[in-house]
Amino acid sequence: MSSLLFFIVLHGVLAFVFAGSSSLDIIARKTIQYEDNHAITFKEQGIWNYSTMLIREDLGLLVLGAREAVFALDINDISVSRSKVLWKVTEEKQKECTSKGKHPDIDCHNYIRMLHQMNDSVMYICGTNAFSPTCDYITYDNGQLQLEGKQEDGRGKCPFDPFQRSSSVMVDQDLYSATSLNFLGSEPVILRTSPITLRTLLKSSWLNEPNFIYMDAVPESEDSPEGDDDKIYMFFSENAIEYDFYNKLVVSRVARVCKGDMGGLRTLQRKWTSFLKARLDCSVPEPSLPYVIQDVFHVRHQKWRKSVFYAIFTSQSSSTDQSSAVCAYNVTDISNVFSRGKFKTEVAVEMSDVKWVTYSGDLPVPRPGDCINNAARTSGIKSSMNIPDKTLQFIRDRPLMDDAVHPITGKPLLLKRGPLLTRLVVDMVTAADGQSYPMMFVGTANGYVQKAVNYDGEMHIIEEVKLFESEEAIDVLRLHQNQLYAGSASGVVQMPVSNCSRYSSCLDCVLARDPYCAWDVPAQRCSRFPASTEHAKSNLIQSLKDGDATQCPITAPIEPKVRTLVLGNNIRLLCRPDSNLAQVNWNLAGKPLPYSNRKYTIYNDAILISNASSADAGRYTCVSVEQAKGKHYTKTLAIYDLREEVAVVVTDKIKTTLGIPNEIYTTSSGLIKPEEPPSVSKNQASESKWIAMQVALAMLSIMMACLLIWNLYMGHISPFMCCGRQPIKSHGNLPRMEYKSAGNDVMDSKPQMVSLCVTTNSNLEVTGFHRNGDPSTGIHLFKYITDESEI
C-alpha cells in the first residue's frame, strides 16, 4: 500500500507544480440548445447504435455502421441515404448466443464494429454477430451497397461483446487490431492479420486486462537518417503491474510495434519482437489517482516528427464529482521514450511475489524493441528473425519502460468538471494573425459537443452545442472538410465546424475568440475566415489571444420598449446575454437594483418584479459586462420603460347606451381619442372605477327589465293571479321607480301597477309583504302550499 500512497503523493506534487492550468469549473461561452443547433440528422426506425464511420471522400459518402445495418449517406447531407444493406444474425446464431446466457434483445445482434477501406471498390467490415465475431467484404457499385458473402472468422479482429472497446487500423492491406480472442474476453491480443500473422504474448506483463482505445500508423521511415521503420502506435488502459498495493490501479498506456516485424526465429515465433509499452501521464492540479484514457485523435503533419496525439482522460475516482482532461503528446517524445528510455524489470522480494524496479544492467545488442535499421543491417540483421535470442528474451520478459510519456505542455490543455468527455477530434485552423491553432471538438456523455481551443496555456471553450434531444453519450466523432459528424445510440448528426452567424454584434464576434470567425466591418456581420476576396484583411476584426474588442465600431443606442405596469401583477422583463461568461446588471432610473430586495428576482435571461406597485414604474436598463484578458466590455442589451397606465375601455353597446360617439372613449380625464391613450394618476383611477360601477349598474337594470319582458312574452309569468285565477291587485301605488345612468334617464319614471301570477305547478301562493311596515303597499311574497286541496 505504501507504494500506492507514494505514487499518489508524487503524482499530486508534480501536478501542483502546474497548478496554473485552467480551472475545473471552466464553462462554455455560449450554449446552443438542441432546438437551435440547425444540424442535419439521420436515423432510421428500428435501427440503433450508430457507432462506426468510414469517410469515403472519393465516393462522396459517409459509410455508417449500426446494429445489423450499413448505410451509404451523402457526405454533404447525411439526411440523404443513397443505399442500405442489412446484415442480421441467423436464428441459429441467436439461439446459440442466448443459450450462453446473453440477452437476446441486447447482446445477440450483429453490431458493426469495424469498417476499413481496402482499395477503391472494396471495404472490409466486421460485426459481433451475436457473440460470434464475423468479417466480410462490402462494395459500393452503381449506387448500391452489397455484401460479398465471403465471411471470415472475426476473432482477434472484432470484439465478441458489442460494448467492449477495441481498436484497429488498415496499413498496406494488413489489418492491425486490438481486442479479445475469446468469448469471456479474458485473452486480450494485439494482432496483425497478414501473410505472416503476429500477436502479443498472453502474459500479464504484456497486457493486463486492457481496454483498447485507438491505434494508428506513423511513417517514421520517411527522412530517417537511421533507416528506421514505420511504427504502429496503440493506446489503451490496463491494470498496473508496477505498483504494489491491494486494490487494482488502472493506468494509461501507449505501445508500439514495428511495421516490418516478422517475429522471432526460435524465441517469440509468430509473436511481436518489437512490442514496447510505457505509461501515459496526464497530471492534474489536484492529488488524485491517475486519469484513465478514453479516446485519441492523431493530428498528422507533413513532417511526421511534428505529428501530435490528442487524448481524453477521465478520473477513475468513485466520487460523484467527476472531471475530464485533454492532453497532447508529440510523436517524437513518445518515440524517444522507447528508443532511449530505461526499462523496468521484475525482481523477487520478501513478503511479495514480484516487484518492478528500474533495470540497471547492460542492454543486449541490438537494443530490445528497436526496429531493423541501418546499424542492424550493417551487423547482418536483415529482419527480426535474425535478432539474437538474448535480445528477444529480454523483450519477452521486460516490455515495460521505466519512463512515462509526458504531455507537450506538461499539463492538460483542457481540464473540466462535469459530464465526462467521451470522444475527440482536432482541426488545425489558420487565423487572421497567420498562426495555426488546434481547435478541439469534444463529445460529452450527455450529448453535447464542446468547441475548445488553448491560447498560450489559457483554455477557452467557445461554445457547446447539444446535438441530441435526449442526454445520450456521443460514441463516435469524425471530421471532414469543415463538417463534424457525431454518432450515438439513436442517430447521427452533421454540423459545420463553425456558425459565425450566431455572433450578433462585433463585440460578440470578437469576444468569442473563434479562429473560424472575424467581424467584417463593411458588411457589418460576423463572417467565416478567410473572408471572401472582395474584403481586405484590414477590414476584418479578430483578436484570439487577447480578446481585444476596442476596435469595434460604436453601435447605435437601443430604443426603449414600453411596457405596462399593472398594479399587483408580477412583471417579467427579458434580457438574454450574448455570453455565459457575461455578468448581467439591472439599473432602475440609472441606479443599480437592490438585489437583496425580495421584490426583484434575477434570472439568467430576465428579471421578475413581484407584486408590482406604482413605485416600480420607471426605466429599467439591462447591461452585460464581460471580461477578456483583464479588460471589461459593457453592452446595453435591453431598455424598458415601465409605465403605470389605467384606461377604461368602453364597448360600442355601452357607448350607444350612454350616448358616447364611437371614436371617443371615456377616462377619468375626460373624453379622448383612441390614438391618444391617457396617463392617469391615482385619483383619476378612482374616478374611473366609480364611473365603471355606475355603467355596470345601469346595464344590470336594463338586463333585468329585458328578462321580465321576455318572461311575460313567453308566458312564463301571467299578468293574472294564479290563486283562484284572479288578478292580485295592489292596495296602493307602488313607489316611484327611477333608473338613471350617467345623467340620462333609461326607463320611464311613471307609477307602475305590478301584477304577479303563480301557476298551479309551482305549488306557491302569494302573501302580503308590507314595505317599511306599511301594508298599503300591497307587495306580495310567495310561500309553499302544504295542502293540495287549497289549489
Side-chain angles (χ1 to χ4, degrees):
M1 179 66 74
S2 59
S3 299
L4 173 62
L5 292 176
F6 173 77
F7 175 79
I8 295 176
V9 172
L10 179 62
H11 193 271
V13 171
L14 292 175
F16 184 77
V17 176
F18 306 111
S21 63
S22 304
S23 169
L24 277 169
D25 297 317
I26 184 173
I27 61 173
R29 184 178 180 272
K30 275 187 184 291
T31 300
I32 312 300
Q33 297 299 335
Y34 172 76
E35 299 79 13
D36 304 319
N37 64 24
H38 303 299
I40 303 173
T41 62
F42 172 82
K43 58 183 176 180
E44 185 166 306
Q45 187 72 23
I47 304 296
W48 303 95
N49 300 92
Y50 304 83
S51 57
T52 308
M53 291 182 184
L54 173 63
I55 293 175
R56 292 295 305 269
E57 184 178 3
D58 55 333
L59 301 176
L61 295 178
L62 175 70
V63 184
L64 176 65
R67 190 174 75 180
E68 301 191 330
V70 184
F71 300 90
L73 309 180
D74 190 318
I75 199 169
N76 298 314
D77 184 355
I78 63 169
S79 64
V80 178
S81 177
R82 296 186 183 175
S83 182
K84 166 188 171 184
V85 61
L86 295 178
W87 189 9
K88 296 187 176 182
V89 298
T90 63
E91 185 177 350
E92 180 183 356
K93 284 290 185 184
Q94 194 165 47
K95 288 181 179 179
E96 180 182 341
C97 174
T98 305
S99 66
K100 293 179 180 179
K102 299 304 178 181
H103 197 289
D105 296 327
I106 299 178
D107 302 315
C108 300
H109 290 281
N110 190 20
Y111 292 78
I112 308 302
R113 294 295 307 274
M114 181 192 296
L115 271 170
H116 290 296
Q117 180 178 353
M118 298 195 68
N119 53 48
D120 293 341
S121 58
V122 180
M123 294 169 280
Y124 196 64
I125 182 172
C126 295
T128 60
N129 196 32
F131 268 77
S132 178
T134 306
C135 299
D136 202 343
Y137 298 87
I138 187 171
T139 60
Y140 181 79
D141 191 21
N142 296 324
Q144 294 295 320
L145 286 173
Q146 183 175 356
L147 282 169
E148 293 293 292
K150 304 174 182 178
Q151 294 189 0
E152 300 176 352
D153 187 355
R155 287 180 296 176
K157 305 174 186 177
C158 177
F160 285 74
D161 189 335
F163 306 106
Q164 184 183 49
R165 294 293 298 272
S166 64
S167 60
S168 61
V169 64
M170 187 75 73
V171 182
D172 296 337
Q173 305 298 310
D174 291 340
L175 178 66
Y176 295 80
S177 57
T179 183
S180 177
L181 270 175
N182 66 340
F183 182 89
L184 298 176
S186 58
E187 295 183 12
V189 65
I190 296 174
L191 179 71
R192 184 183 71 193
T193 305
S194 64
I196 300 180
T197 299
L198 294 185
R199 52 162 292 181
T200 48
L201 280 176
L202 190 60
K203 290 182 63 176
S204 61
S205 59
W206 281 50
L207 296 171
N208 188 19
E209 298 182 36
N211 192 27
F212 297 109
I213 301 300
Y214 180 83
M215 65 169 56
D216 203 1
V218 176
E220 295 188 21
S221 62
E222 295 180 3
D223 301 322
S224 173
E226 297 86 10
D228 206 351
D229 192 9
D230 294 342
K231 312 288 196 311
I232 287 83
Y233 287 93
M234 294 145 286
F235 296 83
F236 58 95
S237 62
E238 66 172 352
N239 293 331
I241 58 172
E242 63 267 38
Y243 303 111
D244 179 23
F245 50 89
Y246 298 109
N247 296 324
K248 295 179 180 180
L249 177 68
V250 179
V251 295
S252 302
R253 304 283 198 205
V254 57
R256 77 162 199 198
V257 293
C258 300
K259 177 183 172 183
D261 197 336
M262 307 292 288
L265 184 61
R266 291 176 296 273
T267 304
L268 296 180
Q269 290 182 1
R270 292 190 175 272
K271 305 296 188 296
W272 295 107
T273 64
S274 55
F275 177 79
L276 295 174
K277 65 179 182 178
R279 184 170 60 85
L280 203 60
D281 179 56
C282 186
S283 299
V284 297
E286 55 187 21
S288 67
L289 295 174
Y291 278 32
V292 180
I293 192 167
Q294 300 298 328
D295 195 37
V296 177
F297 184 81
H298 184 194
V299 177
R300 297 175 179 84
H301 195 277
Q302 290 181 348
K303 298 180 179 180
W304 66 266
R305 290 178 178 84
K306 295 183 179 181
S307 297
V308 177
F309 288 105
Y310 288 80
I312 290 177
F313 296 81
T314 58
S315 59
Q316 59 177 310
S317 171
S318 58
S319 171
T320 56
D321 190 15
Q322 295 180 318
S323 55
S324 306
V326 175
C327 285
Y329 305 89
N330 194 297
V331 169
T332 304
D333 294 338
I334 300 175
S335 180
N336 288 338
V337 168
F338 290 127
S339 60
R340 302 176 185 176
K342 295 181 179 181
F343 291 83
K344 278 189 177 296
T345 186
E346 57 180 349
V347 295
V349 295
E350 294 183 6
M351 306 300 294
S352 177
D353 293 334
V354 294
K355 185 177 181 67
W356 287 83
V357 297
T358 304
Y359 180 80
S360 57
D362 295 332
L363 294 177
V365 179
R367 179 184 169 92
D370 274 1
C371 301
I372 304 301
N373 53 24
N374 293 337
R377 295 184 189 98
T378 301
S379 62
I381 301 175
K382 304 297 182 181
S383 74
S384 62
M385 289 187 177
N386 304 131
I387 297 177
D389 285 345
K390 187 176 181 180
T391 298
L392 296 180
Q393 290 169 357
F394 186 99
I395 203 66
R396 180 191 61 190
D397 300 329
R398 305 174 184 89
L400 178 62
M401 308 304 299
D402 183 61
D403 299 330
V405 180
H406 300 288
I408 297 173
T409 56
K411 59 185 178 181
L413 295 173
L414 171 64
L415 186 60
K416 192 175 187 303
R417 179 183 287 115
L420 294 180
L421 307 182
T422 58
R423 298 294 183 268
L424 167 77
V425 294
V426 180
D427 188 22
M428 299 303 296
V429 187
T430 302
D433 58 7
Q435 294 190 36
S436 183
Y437 298 93
M439 179 63 70
M440 295 178 285
F441 296 90
V442 188
T444 69
N446 62 341
Y448 281 84
V449 162
Q450 296 181 345
K451 180 178 170 182
V453 63
N454 193 289
Y455 295 124
D456 294 337
E458 178 200 1
M459 194 65 234
H460 178 58
I461 302 181
I462 298 171
E463 64 182 13
E464 57 182 2
V465 184
K466 194 172 192 301
L467 297 185
F468 300 96
E469 188 171 6
S470 59
E471 293 189 355
E472 53 187 304
I474 292 178
D475 295 325
V476 58
L477 271 180
R478 292 291 185 269
L479 181 68
H480 177 69
Q481 292 185 351
N482 299 321
Q483 294 292 317
L484 191 69
Y485 306 90
S488 72
S490 66
V492 184
V493 171
Q494 173 189 355
M495 60 169 280
V497 293
S498 184
N499 186 351
C500 300
S501 62
R502 290 196 180 115
Y503 309 126
S504 58
S505 64
C506 178
L507 185 66
D508 189 23
C509 182
V510 175
L511 292 183
R513 301 166 71 187
D514 188 339
Y516 294 105
C517 301
W519 183 258
D520 191 329
V521 177
Q524 296 186 3
R525 68 171 180 265
C526 196
S527 302
R528 177 69 190 268
F529 181 86
S532 54
T533 55
E534 64 264 19
H535 296 299
K537 184 180 289 188
S538 59
N539 291 327
L540 299 175
I541 301 176
Q542 187 186 69
S543 179
L544 302 182
K545 295 181 179 179
D546 298 328
D548 185 5
T550 56
Q551 301 179 50
C552 285
I554 299 175
T555 58
I558 295 178
E559 292 294 329
K561 299 178 182 179
V562 179
R563 293 290 183 268
T564 302
L565 186 151
V566 180
L567 298 176
N569 279 13
N570 295 334
I571 300 174
R572 183 181 177 91
L573 303 178
L574 295 178
C575 177
R576 294 184 175 89
D578 295 329
S579 167
N580 295 331
L581 304 178
Q583 179 181 353
V584 176
N585 298 321
W586 283 89
N587 296 326
L588 173 57
K591 297 181 179 180
L593 279 180
Y595 293 141
S596 58
N597 193 334
R598 294 184 179 180
K599 174 177 282 291
Y600 305 109
T601 305
I602 309 298
Y603 297 97
N604 293 333
D605 60 349
I607 183 175
L608 181 65
I609 306 172
S610 304
N611 193 21
S613 64
S614 298
D616 296 320
R619 173 162 290 188
Y620 289 79
T621 305
C622 177
V623 178
S624 68
V625 180
E626 187 170 356
Q627 181 179 349
K629 304 296 286 186
K631 295 181 181 179
H632 292 80
Y633 297 94
T634 303
K635 180 181 179 181
T636 301
L637 301 177
I639 301 176
Y640 294 96
D641 279 340
L642 199 57
R643 299 177 183 176
E644 182 186 358
E645 294 183 359
V646 179
V648 180
V649 180
V650 185
T651 64
D652 292 340
K653 187 172 182 179
I654 297 178
K655 287 190 288 185
T656 302
T657 304
L658 299 179
I660 300 175
N662 287 332
E663 68 277 6
I664 304 295
Y665 64 80
T666 305
T667 67
S668 58
S669 59
L671 301 176
I672 63 175
K673 294 183 179 180
E675 59 271 12
E676 299 173 357
S679 177
V680 297
S681 63
K682 287 184 178 180
N683 294 332
Q684 291 174 328
S686 300
E687 294 175 5
S688 298
K689 290 179 180 178
W690 174 244
I691 293 175
M693 185 175 66
Q694 289 179 321
V695 172
L697 288 173
M699 289 298 300
L700 182 59
S701 300
I702 295 172
M703 291 173 61
M704 292 297 293
C706 292
L707 182 62
L708 180 60
I709 295 172
W710 182 77
N711 276 280
L712 288 170
Y713 176 76
M714 297 297 296
H716 298 155
I717 300 177
S718 174
F720 302 103
M721 298 304 299
C722 296
C723 299
R725 307 195 60 85
Q726 296 294 327
I728 302 173
K729 297 182 180 179
S730 66
H731 299 282
N733 292 331
L734 289 172
R736 180 183 180 91
M737 301 176 66
E738 296 183 2
Y739 294 85
K740 294 185 179 181
S741 177
N744 298 324
D745 294 339
V746 178
M747 295 185 64
D748 194 356
S749 62
K750 295 180 181 181
Q752 303 284 336
M753 178 65 67
V754 180
S755 297
L756 301 176
C757 173
V758 182
T759 64
T760 58
N761 293 332
S762 63
N763 292 338
L764 297 173
E765 70 174 1
V766 181
T767 61
F769 172 79
H770 308 295
R771 183 178 182 269
N772 297 329
D774 185 1
S776 63
T777 56
I779 299 179
H780 298 75
L781 279 176
F782 300 111
K783 74 175 183 179
Y784 285 102
I785 299 174
T786 58
D787 188 356
E788 293 185 2
S789 63
E790 297 178 18
I791 300 177

